Amino acid sequence: MTSEEEAVPLNAIRAFVTIVREGSLTRAANALGTTQSSVSRYLAVLEGYLGTDLMERRGRRSELTEFGRLFANTVSEPLDTVCFTAQRMRRRTRPNANRIVVRTSLSTFAYSFLIPNLQAFSTEMGGVMVDVISSLSLPTSTDDFDILITRDLSVVEPADHWEIYNEQLVCVGSPNHIAGKSLSVVRSMPIINVTSRPDILPTWLRGMNLTSRDIKSGARYDHNYLALPAVMTGKSLLVAPEIIVSDLVRTGALNVVPGSLTPSGMQYRAYAVDRSDNPELARAFCRWLARLCKKAAISEAR
């Protein structure tokens, strides 16, 4: 076992790296919130441990020795990594300890399915507050969120993840226009194009053994949440993930075209990042969401 005297002087290494960055012992002391004499002692401790000088006097200035420059270049980046990781994974006591941030790239899923059910989670967990933000950009370790819900993004930092939903596609329309009709209605009524999901319609057509020549192309909308009001009030059809139209179908605002259900091959996932200030609450949310989606999938299958 390493003795106390042989232990690596980590505080002294941190002080030395600060000296190099700041360019002087005085500025390093200010950056570290200590005295110049303390920084000098740290430097002496590190030089004693390494058995060689790290800095040398050149007139009125101190400069790095060749060994000192090599050591600084070698340890600076790993030390930055350690400090950054410790800061991000620190379990802080926050003013809003009973609060989590959910980030998602699935805006229509959040609007039509997640948010309407959040009160149930809040009640179950004693009044927890859930913030929801949407973004299509790839998340980074500096972004402020506890949970990521996504279909097409990935998390590169440490995180637990749950597979919450295997996407099913379905064709829907207003009851006034498709009630009592068969799958053949898709050949005569225009189908809305959703440009944010260009994969949906080709995937659904393959599942139905149809081609683009078999259907009429309808209006274009950026997102499903914009297309939903259009299909509820207009004479057109929409192919969408079943989970985002299930409530509208249940309440009678939309009807499902018989025989139009097919898997898309896409999977929704929920990630609880390790650096969350509320890691257990974040994991509890992901487990709750997985149960909610499973319940919805069972209802869809009936």
Side-chain angles (χ1 to χ4, degrees):
M1 181 175 177
T2 303
S3 68
E4 176 104 12
E5 292 74 24
E6 294 173 333
V8 176
L10 295 177
N11 286 334
I13 294 174
R14 179 168 173 256
F16 171 66
V17 169
T18 306
I19 293 169
V20 175
R21 285 183 181 154
E22 297 296 325
S24 76
L25 272 69
T26 303
R27 287 195 290 271
N30 290 335
L32 292 169
T34 187
T35 63
Q36 183 175 336
S37 59
S38 293
V39 174
S40 296
R41 283 196 297 274
Y42 278 131
L43 179 60
V45 167
L46 184 57
E47 288 179 331
Y49 178 84
L50 295 171
T52 187
D53 291 337
L54 295 170
M55 304 191 74
E56 59 185 359
R57 298 288 298 180
R58 293 286 178 89
R60 299 180 62 182
R61 300 182 49 140
S62 294
E63 295 184 1
L64 289 172
T65 63
E66 192 58 39
F67 183 88
R69 187 174 294 104
L70 175 63
F71 185 76
N73 290 340
T74 303
V75 301
S76 293
E77 186 174 341
L79 184 62
D80 284 345
T81 301
V82 169
C83 291
F84 176 79
T85 302
Q87 289 170 356
R88 295 305 303 170
M89 296 186 68
R90 180 183 175 196
R91 301 298 189 242
R92 297 182 297 275
T93 300
R94 303 189 305 179
N96 296 314
N98 203 31
R99 191 179 199 125
I100 53 174
V101 177
V102 176
R103 171 173 168 158
T104 182
S105 61
L106 309 175
S107 55
T108 307
F109 172 79
Y111 167 79
S112 61
F113 183 79
L114 174 63
I115 294 173
N117 286 288
L118 283 183
Q119 186 57 50
F121 175 76
S122 178
T123 302
E124 182 180 322
M125 300 303 293
V128 62
M129 185 74 70
V130 181
D131 298 334
V132 180
I133 56 176
S134 64
S135 175
L136 296 177
S137 62
L138 189 67
T140 70
S141 57
T142 59
D143 293 333
D144 184 17
F145 65 91
D146 301 282
I147 296 147
L148 174 69
I149 302 171
T150 185
R151 179 191 64 248
D152 47 5
L153 302 179
S154 60
V155 172
V156 295
E157 60 184 296
D160 291 336
H161 80 277
W162 286 257
E163 296 172 353
I164 60 174
Y165 179 66
N166 291 317
E167 189 177 67
Q168 301 285 319
L169 302 178
V170 69
C171 185
V172 294
S174 165
N176 294 334
H177 300 301
I178 67 169
K181 296 185 179 178
S182 67
L183 184 61
S184 62
V185 72
V186 304
R187 295 177 179 270
S188 57
M189 287 184 64
I191 299 180
I192 292 174
N193 285 280
V194 177
T195 56
S196 64
R197 286 294 306 271
D199 59 301
I200 281 186
L201 194 50
T203 300
W204 180 81
L205 287 172
R206 286 195 298 272
M208 297 294 104
N209 292 317
L210 297 170
T211 70
S212 59
R213 294 187 296 274
D214 296 318
I215 63 169
K216 296 173 64 176
S217 183
R220 295 177 181 271
Y221 290 87
D222 285 345
H223 300 282
N224 274 309
Y225 65 79
L226 298 175
L228 286 172
V231 74
M232 285 189 287
T233 58
K235 191 175 182 180
S236 59
L237 302 174
L238 174 68
V239 176
E242 186 175 29
I243 199 167
I244 72 170
V245 300
S246 57
D247 279 348
L248 295 171
V249 171
R250 189 160 42 249
T251 59
L254 290 174
N255 276 11
V256 174
V257 174
S260 66
L261 182 69
T262 188
S264 74
M266 303 295 287
Q267 190 172 68
Y268 298 1
R269 299 180 302 279
Y271 294 87
V273 295
D274 283 5
R275 61 178 166 81
S276 167
D277 289 339
N278 290 311
E280 292 308 317
L281 186 56
R283 295 184 183 101
F285 179 88
C286 291
R287 290 191 291 269
W288 168 82
L289 182 58
R291 293 195 303 270
L292 185 67
C293 290
K294 182 177 181 181
K295 183 178 177 181
I298 292 173
S299 297
E300 292 164 2
R302 289 174 180 168

